[in-house]
Amino acid sequence: KAGVTQTPRYLIKTRGQQVTLSCSPISGHRSVSWYQQTPGQGLQFLFEYFSETQRNKGNFPGRFSGRQFSNSRSEMNVSTLELGDSALYLCASSLGTGPNTGELFFGEGSRLTVL
Amino acid sequence: AQSVTQPDIHITVSEGASLELRCNYSYGATPYLFWYVQSPGQGLQLLLKYFSGDTLVQGIKGFEAEFKRSQSSFNLRKPSVHWSDAAEYFCAVEPGSARQLTFGSGTQLTVLP
């Protein structure tokens, strides 16, 4: 069974630009969550999508947005990039229902550098 | 709001020695509890989880963790560490159906030969 796939793995942008990151979950998983990992703030929850609906959202500004498609693939977008957005962005998938909602399967992440 | 504390930023142990990584959480009820491991340049891998029932849970790679309600702790243990265990370890909590994990700041494990 293929794991969670994130693209691109690495990217460099400049301040003010926008970026779109993609995540393909494990087959059969309907929930996709996004986390930001930085040395200073650690791992922080961005949002979670289930069946194309945002079900939960963390404490991030509106520049951070996401969506989920009918095949459960998800994208996140960051507009008007700031230096502080440099981070590893991790996508995680899960079944999304039942008792094991916290059992997340993570991708290897997309490392974003903002210059 | 819930929080997770991992008091040890960095731990060094010799190969073959025992290991205990500490995790304390703050939450009004018993949350779901998890330990994840992250190797350099990789995503996170679930080691074990606690939802309810037996307070001693077994995970992959020979790890186990014990939930102690009275101490709000969920410490990770391994009786004999292998060099391949060198990585960063994260404790996490999910308060029921909130569907989001709150992670601790992580403990970096170094294993000496």
Side-chain angles (χ1 to χ4, degrees):
Chain A
K1 191 184 233 186
V4 177
T5 303
Q6 291 189 245
T7 57
R9 289 291 313 280
Y10 303 91
L11 65 167
I12 299 173
K13 295 285 187 179
T14 56
R15 278 181 299 175
Q17 288 186 312
Q18 74 166 10
V19 66
T20 298
L21 309 178
S22 179
C23 173
S24 294
I26 292 171
S27 178
H29 284 190
R30 295 165 62 191
S31 170
V32 173
S33 300
W34 289 88
Y35 289 81
Q36 181 196 64
Q37 185 176 26
T38 61
Q41 299 298 316
L43 282 152
Q44 294 184 288
F45 172 76
L46 281 157
F47 28 66
E48 186 237 358
Y49 287 86
F50 178 78
S51 293
E52 303 178 66
T53 300
Q54 186 181 86
R55 194 161 62 171
N56 205 359
K57 187 178 191 300
N59 189 26
F60 277 81
R63 299 186 298 109
F64 292 81
S65 63
R67 60 178 175 169
Q68 186 179 34
F69 303 95
S70 58
N71 62 358
S72 294
R73 189 178 70 85
S74 176
E75 290 181 346
M76 69 163 284
N77 184 78
V78 187
S79 62
T80 319
L81 284 167
E82 301 176 358
L83 295 179
D85 298 332
S86 295
L88 181 67
Y89 290 89
L90 292 164
C91 167
S93 77
S94 71
L95 291 171
T97 59
N100 295 339
T101 56
E103 188 167 356
L104 303 182
F105 295 82
F106 283 84
E108 293 184 320
S110 293
R111 184 165 295 281
L112 170 65
T113 300
V114 182
L115 303 177
Chain B
Q2 67 275 8
S3 65
V4 181
T5 301
Q6 293 181 246
D8 303 307
I9 297 173
H10 196 174
I11 283 184
T12 300
V13 299
S14 297
E15 191 170 18
S18 63
L19 172 70
E20 182 169 27
L21 303 182
R22 297 182 290 166
C23 173
N24 293 96
Y25 67 90
S26 173
Y27 182 60
T30 299
Y32 298 154
L33 297 159
F34 307 85
W35 276 99
Y36 283 84
V37 61
Q38 186 178 34
S39 298
Q42 302 294 313
L44 282 75
Q45 181 183 23
L46 179 67
L47 285 175
L48 47 77
K49 59 186 183 288
Y50 173 79
F51 289 156
S52 64
D54 193 350
T55 57
L56 184 64
V57 294
Q58 302 296 321
I60 62 172
K61 304 184 181 185
F63 285 93
E64 66 178 25
E66 184 172 14
F67 168 61
K68 292 186 177 180
R69 186 190 309 273
S70 61
Q71 299 176 19
S72 297
S73 68
F74 189 56
N75 293 349
L76 182 71
R77 301 193 295 245
K78 186 170 185 178
S80 178
V81 171
H82 188 263
W83 64 266
S84 61
D85 294 325
E88 189 156 21
Y89 292 78
F90 293 92
C91 180
V93 304
E94 183 199 4
S97 62
R99 309 185 195 285
Q100 68 179 74
L101 294 181
T102 298
F103 285 90
S105 55
T107 298
Q108 182 70 46
L109 174 65
T110 297
V111 180
L112 300 177

